[in-house]
Amino acid sequence: MTASAFRKAEVFVRSRLEVLQKRYKQGWDVAYGSSGTIRAIFEIVTENGFGEAITVDAMLKLKTALIDAGQMNRIELAALKPSRAPVLPGGLAILLALMQELSVTTMTPSEGA
């Protein structure tokens, strides 16, 4: 995991969201997400002291921790399940770009799908 790889992933996602950004430009204070990735990111950011909710700032702290580790087999994070580790960087890049592009302040995990 490198800063360059994250940047490429985020640019790719943001380019795909440009059409939606124009339609939903006003942004949201809170949005709800139901995927396993959102629930996993919520648990990881809150249990590791990166934030009390999923915010851009909290995810940037998680992103820095992943980049500093360099490889997923070197990262030690509370609440990170081994089965989730391989997909965490991609999910994080997508969610981070989505929240930035659509001006979402906070993402809250929903209980149901």
Side-chain angles (χ1 to χ4, degrees), residues 27-45:
W28 293 272
D29 291 331
V30 178
Y32 295 90
S34 63
S35 75
T37 298
I38 290 170
R39 285 189 292 273
I41 289 174
F42 174 78
E43 291 173 5
I44 292 166
V45 298

Side-chain angles (χ1 to χ4, degrees), residues 34 43 54 58 61 78 96:
S34 63
E43 291 173 5
I54 299 174
K61 290 175 184 174
L96 185 55

Side-chain angles (χ1 to χ4, degrees), residues 16 31 54 81-82:
R16 299 303 184 259
I54 299 174
K81 297 174 184 170

Side-chain angles (χ1 to χ4, degrees), residues 79-100:
L80 177 58
K81 297 174 184 170
S83 62
R84 179 67 58 187
V87 297
L88 179 63
L92 178 64
I94 291 168
L95 186 56
L96 185 55
L98 179 111
M99 288 181 65
Q100 290 172 324

Side-chain angles (χ1 to χ4, degrees), residues 3-70:
S4 175
F6 266 106
R7 192 170 22 265
K8 286 178 185 176
E10 289 169 18
V11 167
F12 177 80
V13 172
R14 290 179 90 154
S15 72
R16 299 303 184 259
L17 293 172
E18 285 178 349
V19 174
L20 294 176
Q21 194 271 348
K22 291 173 186 170
R23 186 173 181 185
Y24 298 105
K25 191 174 184 174
Q26 79 284 352
W28 293 272
D29 291 331
V30 178
Y32 295 90
S34 63
S35 75
T37 298
I38 290 170
R39 285 189 292 273
I41 289 174
F42 174 78
E43 291 173 5
I44 292 166
V45 298
T46 57
E47 291 190 31
N48 289 279
F50 298 137
E52 295 180 12
I54 299 174
T55 63
V56 169
D57 183 57
M59 288 190 296
L60 289 173
K61 290 175 184 174
L62 174 56
K63 176 181 160 182
T64 297
L66 296 178
I67 291 169
D68 288 348

